[in-house]
Amino acid sequence: MPQENNDSFGSAHHLVHRRPPLEWQDGFPLGNGTLGAMVWGDGDPLAFTLDRADLWDTRLNGDFMDQPGYSYAGLRRLVAEGRFDEAREVFEGQQERDNPVAPTKISIGRAELSLGAAEEYECCLDIDRAVITGRIRTGKGEYRLRIFISRDRNLFCLHLAGAPVESRLRLIPLAEMCPALAELHHPEPQFCTEGELRVLRQEIPAGRCYAVAWNTTGPDFFMAVEAGTTVESAANRAKSTWEQAAAAGCERLYTEHERGWKGFWQFSSVCLPEARMEFLWYYGIYLLASSAKRGVPPPGLQGLWAMDGVMPPWRGDYHADMNVQETFWPACASGHLELLDAWCDYMQVCIEPAREFTRRFFGTEGTFWPCSTVPDFTLVNCWYTVQYSWSHTGWLGWLVWLRWVYSMDREWLAVTGYPLMAEIFRFFAANLEEEEDGFLHVPLSTNPEYRENSPEAWCKDPNVDLALIRRCCDWVVEMEAALGTGELSGAAKRVHKRLVPYFLTAAKELCLWPGKLLDESHRHPSHLMAIHPAMDLTIDDGEEAREIIAA
């Protein structure tokens, strides 16, 4: 339950458990953008499910891309001819068979401390400080705890007052918890004892290796988690991080950590009469700030809070048909552009592989962004009706535009924002097709996840695509005006003018696509994109726009 009271800075927004969370998803999330932990359990044991942002197995068997029919033209042909089983095989089936587990997010495992089953339990996550405090009483005694992940160090910290001498902090690697991980054929995790330290080394083939260094006895427990190109470099970093933490001590580390979060919250705040709504605002910003940081891969579907003991659903990927956008949506309005930079920087790194894929699949210039990827622009298996929709590309462009319009930072625009938007526009301009009516049309796409992976999902000219293409034209013109250039503005204005109008019913309701009205409650009301969030239709745009909005 959320609580609030006055404290030393701001109002304290608390998440309180008076019964122990017995499953990982009911625990307390901690994170610093690189390292994350979910804290749960009743003391028998007290559990910490660990994850790190840069741990991915990105190996891909890309043979499916070498099939002669693997192209947008091939997809259009098979759909037009009603050969849907063949289309699904070419654009989804082989990829899934050749890549049954990877590419995927990899987590670390679970740390445990056995205190005995809780007879009384009261713990609290203070969102303002990103710290868990509380008490657990078991048959062996009463323990008071303070747990945090250092704001600036890759370090999990636990202070346990009254820690029993026999309690040992142990780490169970994911390899011991998850049989499915064996299908990836990772080397066995290596444990060793070095003085007072236990050290875990883990290699990820063709990926980042990681190491965990920790002391097994308290009352102050530190777990340093570092990554590197080799297991030895990762282990050396982890041991160094632990040694620095031990030298500093828990109190100094907490003071440093608290100061970092205090600086973060000084950027913005809200004060709402509805306490629960205010709590949700702070909790949402807290989760984003805990899982996103410049310089490391952005958070995927589960953020930094891996499901305990299993491989992540949907491989923990970047789902660009809504999930990525909703994850970063709060960054700009809360004054934390650096959180959105975690995503925009990633897109910038991926421009060249995105160009290469676009040339290969569409045969054109520009960047097309598929729905499901992991770091390095590595494709992940996905419903083929969703993977190759056009709207992901424009909606990711919307995030880029938000970053620009909230900052008006021309230097950022020149280096990052405009190059991203220009490539997105080039893709749209190169692949729209003029028809006999004189308008430009989207030849084949879908409305995200409507009719899921069935043949009925495929369509022409979905309104979600049209809204985002129009706005991408506007954004290119706006950005070039700010930069004092005009390379694409003329083309963008022509595309905007010639793009087919939105498809409406007689009552002026926005359709999903020509002649298709939404006929069921659906998790993706994307046909309304023109109204929100793209804002191509607003109440300031005249009577017809107001009628469409009302309908």
Side-chain angles (χ1 to χ4, degrees):
M1 60 176 288
Q3 291 187 344
E4 62 174 322
N5 55 42
N6 292 327
D7 216 322
S8 59
F9 62 87
S11 63
H13 300 90
H14 290 165
L15 187 64
V16 179
H17 285 172
R18 294 191 173 91
R19 291 190 301 272
L22 299 180
E23 297 184 7
W24 74 272
Q25 66 266 27
D26 299 323
F28 295 112
L30 295 172
N32 65 5
T34 301
L35 178 64
M38 187 67 84
V39 179
W40 57 287
D42 67 348
D44 190 24
L46 189 61
F48 318 103
T49 301
L50 301 171
D51 198 1
R52 200 183 139 104
D54 52 358
L55 304 183
W56 297 79
D57 188 328
T58 59
R59 292 174 297 168
L60 174 71
N61 180 342
D63 289 350
F64 66 94
M65 297 186 191
D66 295 328
Q67 298 180 78
Y70 183 79
S71 66
Y72 187 62
L75 177 61
R76 289 179 62 184
R77 182 176 62 256
L78 293 176
V79 171
E81 295 172 1
R83 296 157 61 187
F84 297 108
D85 289 343
E86 186 176 346
R88 189 167 180 175
E89 168 63 19
V90 171
F91 297 97
E92 181 182 348
Q94 181 179 337
Q95 180 184 4
E96 184 174 22
R97 288 194 306 275
D98 291 349
N99 301 276
V101 183
T104 184
K105 182 74 180 70
I106 299 295
S107 60
I108 296 168
R110 182 200 314 138
E112 293 183 347
L113 190 64
S114 294
L115 304 174
E119 297 174 358
E120 294 182 13
Y121 178 103
E122 183 171 15
C123 291
C124 165
L125 170 61
D126 180 339
I127 291 170
D128 290 349
R129 294 167 174 78
V131 62
I132 300 165
T133 56
R135 67 180 184 88
I136 301 175
R137 186 174 67 81
T138 75
K140 299 179 180 180
E142 180 168 302
Y143 313 105
R144 293 195 172 271
L145 55 83
R146 180 169 66 189
I147 308 170
F148 60 97
I149 287 181
S150 169
R151 178 72 174 158
D152 300 314
R153 309 175 189 227
N154 295 321
L155 188 71
F156 174 89
C157 304
L158 164 63
H159 173 73
L160 187 68
V165 175
E166 67 273 15
S167 291
R168 295 290 185 272
L169 182 64
R170 69 181 189 129
L171 177 60
I172 308 171
L174 185 64
E176 293 183 19
M177 303 166 63
C178 179
L181 185 64
E183 298 179 39
L184 292 174
H185 305 292
H186 289 184
E188 290 290 320
Q190 302 296 315
F191 285 95
C192 68
T193 300
E194 301 183 19
E196 59 184 319
L197 282 183
R198 285 283 283 166
V199 180
L200 164 70
R201 295 170 169 86
Q202 178 65 66
E203 181 181 349
I204 301 176
R208 299 276 284 172
C209 304
Y210 69 89
V212 185
W214 74 100
N215 54 299
T216 61
T217 59
D220 293 334
F221 299 87
F222 303 125
M223 298 190 77
V225 185
E226 297 288 6
T229 56
T230 66
V231 288
E232 286 307 316
S233 65
N236 289 337
R237 288 193 183 107
K239 288 184 286 186
S240 176
T241 298
W242 185 91
E243 289 166 357
Q244 292 173 34
C250 203
E251 286 304 316
R252 178 181 163 190
L253 290 170
Y254 179 68
T255 299
E256 168 191 287
H257 165 80
E258 185 183 56
R259 183 167 58 245
W261 276 97
K262 181 177 181 179
F264 173 83
W265 288 117
Q266 286 179 341
F267 276 83
S268 64
S269 64
V270 298
C271 184
L272 303 177
E274 300 88 353
R276 186 171 296 273
M277 296 303 292
E278 180 174 318
F279 171 81
L280 287 174
W281 187 90
Y282 279 92
Y283 192 45
I285 303 300
Y286 166 81
L287 291 174
L288 180 55
S290 298
S291 60
K293 181 193 290 186
R294 297 189 75 175
V296 296
L301 287 174
Q302 287 82 41
L304 283 178
W305 303 290
M307 293 182 69
D308 187 73
V310 300
M311 299 299 290
W314 303 282
R315 309 179 188 221
D317 69 5
Y318 301 136
H319 241 62
D321 67 347
M322 181 169 68
N323 304 72
V324 168
Q325 292 84 350
E326 288 195 325
T327 294
F328 289 97
W329 200 326
C332 291
S334 64
H336 290 287
L337 300 179
E338 78 282 0
L339 300 179
L340 181 52
D341 282 336
W343 178 259
C344 293
D345 290 351
Y346 168 73
M347 287 185 68
Q348 185 181 36
V349 168
C350 291
I351 277 187
E352 190 48 48
R355 281 195 193 111
E356 181 181 348
F357 176 80
T358 306
R359 287 192 295 266
R360 182 176 188 171
F361 190 75
F362 288 90
T364 69
E365 62 178 347
T367 56
F368 170 83
W369 296 83
C371 178
S372 297
T373 59
V374 298
D376 304 323
F377 198 80
T378 305
L379 268 65
V380 175
N381 191 62
C382 176
W383 287 341
Y384 80 121
T385 55
V386 176
Q387 184 76 312
Y388 303 104
S389 293
W390 285 26
S391 56
H392 326 308
T393 300
W395 206 356
L396 292 179
W398 173 81
L399 285 177
V400 174
W401 173 75
L402 278 185
R403 171 60 171 84
W404 150 244
V405 80
Y406 269 89
S407 69
M408 290 292 161
D409 182 341
R410 285 177 173 80
E411 181 179 355
W412 179 88
L413 182 64
V415 173
T416 302
Y418 176 71
L420 287 169
M421 189 63 66
E423 290 301 300
I424 288 171
F425 170 75
R426 288 188 177 105
F427 162 74
F428 287 137
N431 287 279
L432 290 165
E433 292 187 354
E434 184 175 0
E435 296 187 2
E436 292 181 358
D437 59 7
F439 290 115
L440 296 174
H441 293 262
V442 178
L444 182 70
S445 188
T446 65
N447 193 85
E449 299 190 25
Y450 178 78
R451 294 290 185 250
E452 299 188 338
N453 208 28
S454 69
E456 292 77 21
W458 293 108
C459 66
K460 173 183 172 182
D461 289 331
N463 271 335
V464 59
D465 291 7
L466 301 180
L468 288 164
I469 293 169
R470 277 198 176 84
R471 293 299 280 141
C472 283
C473 293
D474 294 337
W475 299 332
V476 164
V477 172
E478 176 185 332
M479 290 176 174
E480 289 196 341
L483 294 173
T485 65
E487 178 184 354
L488 296 175
S489 291
K493 291 175 182 178
R494 287 192 297 272
V495 169
H496 191 290
K497 182 177 181 180
R498 296 173 59 205
L499 192 64
V500 66
Y502 295 118
F503 293 92
L504 310 172
T505 67
K508 295 197 173 181
E509 299 160 309
L510 284 162
C511 296
L512 293 168
W513 58 76
K516 179 62 176 175
L517 187 64
L518 183 65
D519 54 2
E520 62 185 45
S521 178
H522 187 50
R523 59 189 173 274
H524 281 268
S526 305
H527 62 300
L528 302 178
M529 177 63 72
I531 300 171
H532 186 76
M535 296 185 294
D536 189 49
L537 297 173
T538 75
I539 59 172
D540 298 323
D541 292 328
E543 183 61 30
E544 183 179 13
R546 288 194 291 272
E547 290 176 358
I548 294 171
I549 293 168

